[in-house]
Amino acid sequence: LGGYTPHAGYLNSIVGWRKSRYLFRDMFKFSALNYWSKSIDTLLIGKIYDANTLGIYSRAYQLLSLPLRALTSSMNTVIFPILSERKSSNSEYKVFFLDFLSLVSLIPLIVLYLFCFYSEEIIVMLWGQLWIDVATLMPYLGITLYVQILVSLSGNMLILEKSDNKIFFSSL
């Protein structure tokens, strides 16, 4: 190359890419596994049962995933910058995160309680008597979605800790 020496910024970007490519790889594996784990149930129900059963399951999952999406998207935009700032300032960010997680976990617990014990009333109020079969699935799906909320919120901590493999295994 005739005496060309790359500048420091170029070398830093290569070193940065080498360090972060493992995180990108594990995040991709996590996303792919997460997608298929959320889709395999629908695929199996559609294959084994009829379209009516699949529609009932889909409605129940859709209703229960609303709190999951609302909570995780809003909390991820709030908690990640706070945790990142606390980590860089060497404060007790792990203790803060655990306190935050215990407080935030109460919200979906209340929603889960309502969906488990008042599912028929909620379904009739939202969609009418024709969808009452959805109410039978709500307690079971509610428990799994509660666990999903806690796992997805703890993903921020794993990203900050640069625990690439743990991010992937948390999705299992």
Side-chain angles (χ1 to χ4, degrees), residues 28 120 122 147:
F28 175 77
E120 289 182 8
I122 292 171
V147 172

Side-chain angles (χ1 to χ4, degrees), residues 16-17 19-29 164:
W17 168 249
K19 289 181 179 178
S20 63
R21 71 177 173 187
Y22 297 110
L23 178 63
F24 291 139
R25 181 196 64 202
D26 288 331
M27 290 298 292
F28 175 77
K29 288 190 303 188
D164 305 340

Side-chain angles (χ1 to χ4, degrees), residues 53 56-58 60-61 64 119 133-142:
T53 307
I56 289 169
Y57 175 79
S58 178
Y61 190 81
L64 285 170
S119 58
D133 291 339
V134 172
T136 59
L137 295 175
M138 304 259 307
Y140 305 111
L141 290 176

Side-chain angles (χ1 to χ4, degrees), residues 18 22 35 49 89 93 95 97 110 119 126 131 156 162:
R18 287 183 182 152
Y22 297 110
Y35 171 79
Y49 298 103
S89 67
Y93 75 101
V95 174
F97 178 74
I110 294 167
S119 58
L126 290 175
W131 288 97
N156 287 328
K162 296 184 176 115

Side-chain angles (χ1 to χ4, degrees), residues 63-82:
L63 179 62
L64 285 170
S65 65
L66 284 174
L68 169 73
R69 284 183 292 189
L71 187 67
T72 56
S73 65
S74 61
M75 290 302 137
N76 285 342
T77 56
V78 171
I79 194 69
F80 193 76
I82 293 171

